[in-house]
Amino acid sequence: MSSMSPCRLATVLILLVSLSTSAVAQGIFRNHSLRTERQALRAERQAERQAATAPTAQTSADAKIQLQRLTTELKEGHRNITDADLNRAQTVLLNAVNDLQRRLPREFNRETANDWVATFRLAELRTTLGQRTPDAEILDAVHNAFYEDKDGINWVVFDGLRTALRRYQTIARLIREDSYERQLLSVCNNLASSIEAYSEGRNPLYFVTLSETVTWLDDISLVEPRAARLADLTRVAASGVNVRLQVGSDFISAGFRQELSEELDIDEVILGTRVIGEGTLSGMSSAELVNSPNRAVIRVLADAHLETFTDGSQRMVNLKNHTTGTLRGEKQILFAANGITTTPARARANLNARISDVRINAGPVIRLVARGQIDSRREDSLAEASRRAERRMTTQMNERIDTNIAEINERYQKIRDMLTQTGLFPRVWNLSSTPQYIDWSIQLGNAYQPSAPVPAPETPQTNGLAVQVHQSAFNNMLTIALAGRMIDEERFAQRVGEFFDEPPAFLERQSDETPAKVSFGTRAPVDVLFIDDKIRVVVRLNDIQVMDNAGRSFTITVEYQIKREERDGRSFIVLEQTEAEAFPTGYRPDGGVSLSATQTIIRSYLQRRLGVLPQRYEAEALGLGGEWAGTGQLIPQFASAQGGWLTLVWDWMTL
């Protein structure tokens, strides 16, 4: 399968989900240190509190009832907006500027802090907010600065300013246009029907409508406190987890299954006796899942057989010893909202020893005494040998597993930081494990965006991997990442290339081509639709510049149909391209209007990019690397796109 196959898509998705959820840890892996079991228990209690407050189907239904009552109440009784409301919003904005200026030196070094002060024109903003009528040009410039592409910015730091500025500008516009009452009544009249239309999942643009409605309600909460409650009810009524991942125990165990084989060279002092010799340790490591309602727990096991042949000598006594037995080690890996933690390894040895030969270079009396001492100390010696074997195994398990976890955290650091800086924390986190699988579900999106209004459909049982993603997860993330942004193609390709072994084919350009520059609108820059077994992606460009040709408002549409084919007694999952077009927004090829020369050049450029997308994908077995290399394959079993949910299922087949 090509690099853009559903398997590759799911692999990238799993990576992004893992990273975005680890962002909740708020820097817990900054030094890549492992947490103790006590901290892990605290994380579990926190997860329990989160689960207790997570919206359920019942609270969603209740929210719709309460929403109807509240909208009726607001329609029947509300006050109009006044200049006093604008003055209060201005004070709140000035306070946000002051808070940010105090915070910047704590978050950044002096030079970087000063750069941000200049970028957001904080000194000018502070001055103009001290005036009776702030300068609209300065306010607009600060607003636009939030949509510029900036490397290294932690948007969470600036969230207070961005929210206060947005609220002020909304209230100012409502007063200027005298439109507050009209918009409030429109929201109250249409909110319930918009939620129902969004729940049907057939038009992804309803997520824009609800997002804008919740944002507007949040903005006017300075004027009408009940609007904040209405926004909360809308979130509950139109939101649920929008990413779900189930990982089967067979798939997980395969990553830990490894043959244990070690030749032992023994030279130790046990209870005052020097012991030398050799031995073998052989066995197998494995893993199993543990029942846990609020975190995922993997128990790593190491079962080994130990056999040693040793000579022990002390003064005039020399004895040969043959020891056999079993050794079991155990260590747990825990996944919770705070990230990955481990427990200290434990081990238990069950050994038997047989003295095969005893030589005592002394007279009969001393030999008799020495034999008695040997017999009396045999159990103590065996117990000490067991403790040493147990300590050796626990040390090795701790070193190997803890080192691997630290390496994983370091590998993920780059993407995790990027997600942290955008403020894209999962708003709901549910993680549990049973002996059969790990079940992990999250809600991606900011506080103003709806997510999945209906639960994920049931998936076929699998011992491998099941990934379910609601279209809102993509729509929310892409809106946060792209809305209002200007992106340089070359720079974008470099950044994407950091996360792929090879850059995606659609980013490759001819050697003589100048990189394009595009800007996205603030409303629905990209929308994704999963319906009727179709995957449909629409990209909306506000502006595009190709070489010396600049155009406005282009729409790119790509659609694939999911099919299942039977050949030679086998079943295959196939994606067939049904559309890949780029046109000026609103243009109809059959409308009798010709494109301009500039539009023709830009469309040709975009179509050439789309032309590298394969007409057909055929899902193939997915072989993995790392700990899973050579252990087995993920075999495509099921794929569907229904009701806004994309579902992909693989069975695990051991090689």
Side-chain angles (χ1 to χ4, degrees), residues 270-273 275 319 321 323 351 353 355 373-388:
I270 300 178
L271 299 180
T273 300
V275 178
L319 56 86
N321 195 64
T323 302
L351 303 181
I355 298 175
Q373 290 179 341
I374 291 171
D375 291 338
S376 66
R377 300 184 67 182
R378 179 180 299 175
E379 293 300 322
D380 291 341
S381 298
L382 185 60
E384 177 63 20
S386 296
R387 283 191 291 271
R388 294 192 179 210

Side-chain angles (χ1 to χ4, degrees), residues 256-263 280-286 300-306 327-329 393 396-397 400:
F256 292 90
R257 190 168 181 80
Q258 183 178 2
E259 185 176 347
L260 305 175
S261 180
E262 186 176 2
E263 299 292 330
T280 59
L281 181 73
S282 60
M284 186 71 67
S285 65
S286 61
V300 183
L301 301 172
D303 290 293
H305 177 267
L306 177 68
L327 191 60
R328 163 166 274 210
M393 175 161 278
Q396 289 185 348
M397 290 188 75
R400 291 175 183 176

